[in-house]
Amino acid sequence: MSDIREHCGLFGVYGCDDAAERVYYGLYSLQHRGEESAGIASTDGKDIICYKGMGLVSDALKPQTLKSLKNPVAIGHVRYSTIGSSNIGNAQPLVVDYYKGKVAVAHNGQLTNAKRLREEFEANGSIFHTTSDTEVIVHLMAKPLHMMQKNLSLLLQQLRGSFSLLFLTPNEMVGVRDPHGFRPLALGKLNAGYVLASETCAMDQVGAEYIRDVAPGEAVYIDKDGIRSEYYCPQNQIKPAFCIFELVYFARPDSRIYGESVHIFRKKLGAKLAEESRVDADVVISVPEGGNSAAIGYSHASGIPLDRGFIRNHYVGRTFILPEQDRRHRIVELKLNALKETVEGKRVIVIDDSIVRGTTSKSRFGLLRKAGAKEIHVKISCPPHRYPCYYGIDFQKKGELIAANSSLEEIRRFLHIESLSYLSVDGMMSCTTQPRQSFCNACFTSNYPTPVDEETKNPCEKK
Amino acid sequence: MSDIREHCGLFGVYGCDDAAERVYYGLYSLQHRGEESAGIASTDGKDIICYKGMGLVSDALKPQTLKSLKNPVAIGHVRYSTIGSSNIGNAQPLVVDYYKGKVAVAHNGQLTNAKRLREEFEANGSIFHTTSDTEVIVHLMAKPLHMMQKNLSLLLQQLRGSFSLLFLTPNEMVGVRDPHGFRPLALGKLNAGYVLASETCAMDQVGAEYIRDVAPGEAVYIDKDGIRSEYYCPQNQIKPAFCIFELVYFARPDSRIYGESVHIFRKKLGAKLAEESRVDADVVISVPEGGNSAAIGYSHASGIPLDRGFIRNHYVGRTFILPEQDRRHRIVELKLNALKETVEGKRVIVIDDSIVRGTTSKSRFGLLRKAGAKEIHVKISCPPHRYPCYYGIDFQKKGELIAANSSLEEIRRFLHIESLSYLSVDGMMSCTTQPRQSFCNACFTSNYPTPVDEETKNPCEKK
Amino acid sequence: MSDIREHCGLFGVYGCDDAAERVYYGLYSLQHRGEESAGIASTDGKDIICYKGMGLVSDALKPQTLKSLKNPVAIGHVRYSTIGSSNIGNAQPLVVDYYKGKVAVAHNGQLTNAKRLREEFEANGSIFHTTSDTEVIVHLMAKPLHMMQKNLSLLLQQLRGSFSLLFLTPNEMVGVRDPHGFRPLALGKLNAGYVLASETCAMDQVGAEYIRDVAPGEAVYIDKDGIRSEYYCPQNQIKPAFCIFELVYFARPDSRIYGESVHIFRKKLGAKLAEESRVDADVVISVPEGGNSAAIGYSHASGIPLDRGFIRNHYVGRTFILPEQDRRHRIVELKLNALKETVEGKRVIVIDDSIVRGTTSKSRFGLLRKAGAKEIHVKISCPPHRYPCYYGIDFQKKGELIAANSSLEEIRRFLHIESLSYLSVDGMMSCTTQPRQSFCNACFTSNYPTPVDEETKNPCEKK
Amino acid sequence: MSDIREHCGLFGVYGCDDAAERVYYGLYSLQHRGEESAGIASTDGKDIICYKGMGLVSDALKPQTLKSLKNPVAIGHVRYSTIGSSNIGNAQPLVVDYYKGKVAVAHNGQLTNAKRLREEFEANGSIFHTTSDTEVIVHLMAKPLHMMQKNLSLLLQQLRGSFSLLFLTPNEMVGVRDPHGFRPLALGKLNAGYVLASETCAMDQVGAEYIRDVAPGEAVYIDKDGIRSEYYCPQNQIKPAFCIFELVYFARPDSRIYGESVHIFRKKLGAKLAEESRVDADVVISVPEGGNSAAIGYSHASGIPLDRGFIRNHYVGRTFILPEQDRRHRIVELKLNALKETVEGKRVIVIDDSIVRGTTSKSRFGLLRKAGAKEIHVKISCPPHRYPCYYGIDFQKKGELIAANSSLEEIRRFLHIESLSYLSVDGMMSCTTQPRQSFCNACFTSNYPTPVDEETKNPCEKK
């Protein structure tokens, strides 16, 4: 499950004495969206102070420090990145000085025109400190032309690709979503103030109440006079293309994304799976945690009883460092043990949310076989993902995606299982409560919602 | 769940090139039995080398170091302790020099005559380095009278209370269980060698196969000539009194304890609970992880559908340090979030495995209420535990056990829930496959299987 | 001695397989010039890789990492800073991307027009990531106008104040000294390559040979075609004003600064002190390490025997953290102990190189009194420093300089000593081998070598 | 200098509110006597609490913790050990429980009959937790026969070899010195209380006043009734054999040892050296720190001026870890730099306190040659040490002592110097103010003050 990576998670609080501390707890709930670095920038109305660090929220930041800040406004960020650029310099929020003073920016998504913009800036004498495409945004912001504007419209119209953004200045907090709304961003109420969050589970964490999503193409400005909304681009450029993979895989089951309950959506996936690919079996189990919600849906729909087939060792965390590379399967075995009593001599249906490279899945199903499973029928609660994402999700390289290179039968044989089914694209799309054309499912279908030119295929944040 | 503490977990491997490394992985599976210190002693047939450290296995020990040992025999230990004596000096295995050379001992349980033995030794000129009652055992071992024996019978007959023990000398590994068999200890096969483990889940971990439990009153000697068994006390002193709490609460669901599958036993508890205290409801949920197995049993038996009511944040671990004491409820909220979609407007049955002080439970059920649950019916898969354990389990002080001091109705009101039921003692005991008189259930019934004199009530390991 | 702080130390190596590793050892020798952060940037001819960290060289950098680099060119930096801006973001070398690629800059000194330049840049749309005035230099460098130049002249002519600089690009290493030569920078030879160093002691460390100082107003370019020198400003702007305080106080005694041996200069200071303020006494001692060289000169000139009066505890380092602020005198006592056998019943002359706030000195002389000294005559090997430095030395705030606020007699009484003498300005200047007008001694005389406008008095690096 | 190791340092305080904290600072002054572990045991009159750790005092112990203790009595210990037994288990003070309660023991020295005693104990059923010979002492203490005694005489008479000891019980602090007085131990006064210290420099540190040495064969008991002295063995067994090496090499120059000022003794060594082996030269320098005192004596006696020939880099500490073993000479070069201005073209006399393996000395003298020294005449302020010490000093193995295997001329050639002289045994002994037969100089002469049987030659603490 950890083989596919979201790029980031955002959380902002406006109008709370302990804003920075609440952002800390909010980021804890968004940790699954970024484990490599965490940062919080907050303001007292004059200066902006920023703490960042590598690793998990609990390693990178100290709640004591944040607690002592007493700043009423704060934004935070958790981040993944490719190996090369995993350094503290690229951690966010990015805080810089410019003519108007200080500004902090946090970004979830991926700009497809960052490389071109960067080259233009450099040709005109600008310097860059980081390899992150977010730095382009602050350069744009500091342009005299843009500075003269009261709002960010001119700046935001320069950006292409996917971007949910939080801006923090000593006076206001701004939340922005790109015209396609690729990545989620929700608005909530917290006492007399407001919160902005990638997922609603972070709102629950701090006691905030979900109001609505920030709309595609919308910028929400929050300051001492309250909240103000603005569409920064013409309506005809607004074309929703919500990432379906957030619902299928990334978001926490206790979040609402695009106004949709993740848990219920996944239960529907399971039910649809039962409808599409029924098989006679004695028991339904899930691969925890990814398959848990869909397995409930499958069991309810099929009438085949649900039981626990794997027991997870909760002490096996990220900090586990193995003595040898070639023993990576040790982690699989340490993390999950098969429950012989559930599977021995049984025909077992296993529900999971993805197969990436296939090696981890193979080890896991092998545990079931060793525990005596008579038949193993694997059901994946989405279609095979075969295509790269240019909007902020870091799949494995194409060569490593087993579904990109092998037929269903080949994968089944590789996994040594009796049967394997994926959910159909139509089946998956039928589970949403919204028009299916509002979604981007390009990783399954290659129907990219924006033109895919060369620049898009090789975006700038590589280094 | 972390409020009740087992004292220890044991794991030993005989006859494997990488014995110490395997013990390391085995201890990982037994981590729930002791989070305060971990240690491994191993031998190359001449010397004994021991590594110990404070904290979790992953903090206390380095797999690289153990891997490089190449010693064919090793025993390991994980430990809990009361605050006072939580220091590296009390970590186990305890390794000492005596007349015959070096010996390492690892102990799970609690001696009820340690205090008296210690006083006798001190009166005769012995010195003690630790406050652990295990040190008494090595003093007994070093007595000239005992040293002359070929086996450990004479020594073991001096011990009272609960003790599962592993001994390691350069020549052999010994596994011992007290005449009541209070604590578990199982024997397994690993290629040409043997393993001894508190729980069978550790055998799965290292690829060993369960053979049988070490019997109450039995000592198993393993050396180059193979395995040899011996009852070290007269048959009439052997009176099984297996700790029922291991099955109900402590052991991992993927373990077999006393030859019983923990997961199946707990499913039966759930089914029995459905039988004893049925209530009309819309959905059954569990408090993860403790209530998971019983909830399946309850749902199957009652026909009320099972769903996920809490989502666990897997990033909240032991290392989370809170800025203020009075915010301990933060941990509860960080760790679990209620799933509004499951409980909103619903009559909810919640299955858990215990209520200790009640405060954590209250916070959790409060989350359900906040998420919109219409009715909350809590079912606990065991009777209320009201009495102290003198055989190795560290309940809260009596004053802190809510069930020891309050009526069912008082607890229900404290928790702000619609109904509360505990499983009956008879109901619980009916779920085992063995004669119910083979078990100790004194923490629920005060039927202590051994005389409870003053010395037993105030055993020596206090410091 | 640690109360007055140099801002930085520089070291660069061109043309050695192990350039980065040698810079590491060179920085070790320059550690006294900056204890707060250390960094090394090196190039393989294509990319620039930079390692930085907080604290001492040994904490901030790993020799193993540097060793593995095998890059033939590297520059390094050690840094002090005021409390406020002590963060990794301000650590140097500063490495940025601009139109021509990557460049690394390391700076020793203080720009007096940084604030103005920064404001101009911001007004034109530039953003700043750090509070260091060094960032202004890289912005200047990236200006299209400057980029078109073959050399750095145009850029360097924009800078005011003190600056010794090292630049590193994938193709060359450049050393620059400001037209006054406030801060030292020396050129040396290392096998077929070159080194640039703030002090020659660092050259000894890596086996390099001193050639000459980089001249005021000179830029030295080193690349594959060898070394090339250039004066980047008109000769009439070149006015040497070497910092005399480097010789008196900062530099290591085994360095040559401005072509002068520091040790010999300090011995002359001692001799001159004996000439200016003779007193009858039994023994001469020094406060280690600062007074050691001058004490030898004093003893030789006066004929009064030198002995050890203080013994230093070499285990008391920077890492010593005191339980309470008000016990700072503990450090003094832990660090130095008076040698009773030397001072008891004696008239003692004590040589030191400075009195800053006076409290540390008072504690030390108190130790001598407690050890039985009959008379204590303190001789300081420079005049009282009473004026701020605008060229890169961080004296205490004026209110804290005891000499700025008290008469000689007041200081003497505060220190509880029999007599106190400072060296005269003329005495001090007479010890150099160069024209005395080549030096800046403004901290003693307030004769600032450049106009001191308001901007100079409140330079920008404050944050 | 760090190639020869003292085994330990002791410090105890009786009758001060902040005894534990003072012991902490006292140990700081004795750090040179043991860098591998440090520990402090203190009592509130009821219990004994002990903190120990590996490494330097500043790493091993926290002043805050000690400060909070408020215990009026405490003893402390710093320790060296051979590599094999460098573990926390062997750190001291050793604290055990026995019949009379708790006792803590700290030991400086080496028992020559520890092995035999240990074997006897083990044969009688005792167990040993450590490999340290100090554990034998607590076993003796716990013997019923010894426990019945009011004092420690019977126990102390069992011990052979060298031992300065501190005992701490809830009621008293005891200081003991062996009948030969091999290792120092001094008694001092601190306000209304007392201190015991290996060296008087530690008394200066905490503001205590030296009273007298504990005498050979004496035990000093300090409790609420004051101080009581007792000779625990017949007078005819008391034969002073003070370790001369403490004066020559180990002790800090600001200590008094055996009533002798270390600094003055060493100045006399230098003067005697000038008398014994005069040579024409231009300058006298010392190898810091070891040669500093003797160099002053040499210069005064010879009339040849003293100057600084080496500059020490105070940032090079124990924590410096080198990337490669074969670059150990790097440490020498990082630590000391030769001062060209002092030695260039000169005939240089270099004073040092020892040559152990010779390799470090060779590197150092090589620096002088490289700096231009015309002639290098090395004078060592003691005779060549050629014989092992059985009384608590850890010389290199005999094969590694250059003087044990090479002639003077061979060493001189190995060091590439013009001349080499050692002080004569008679010369060295003539510098003490006490009868020379009161000293042990066996490491120079092989005149061991006790019979040297096989057991003595291979004492037990080897592990």
Side-chain angles (χ1 to χ4, degrees), chain A residues 407-436:
Chain A
S407 70
L408 193 68
E409 173 58 13
E410 284 167 344
I411 304 173
R412 186 196 66 73
R413 263 181 298 167
F414 174 75
L415 298 174
H416 286 299
I417 53 178
E418 272 67 25
S419 79
L420 169 67
S421 341
Y422 285 91
L423 190 59
S424 69
V425 172
D426 282 347
M428 174 178 71
M429 298 314 294
S430 75
C431 297
T432 75
T433 60
Q434 297 173 58
R436 61 182 284 181

Side-chain angles (χ1 to χ4, degrees), chain A residues 35 206 283 308 372 394 401 406 428:
Chain A
E35 298 185 345
V206 303
V283 68
R308 309 174 80 185
D394 185 26
L401 290 174
S406 316
M428 174 178 71

Side-chain angles (χ1 to χ4, degrees), chain C residues 90-107:
Chain C
N90 279 340
Q92 296 198 6
L94 191 60
V95 185
V96 300
D97 268 311
Y98 74 128
Y99 188 74
K100 287 180 161 180
K102 279 197 169 174
V103 66
V105 186
H107 176 202

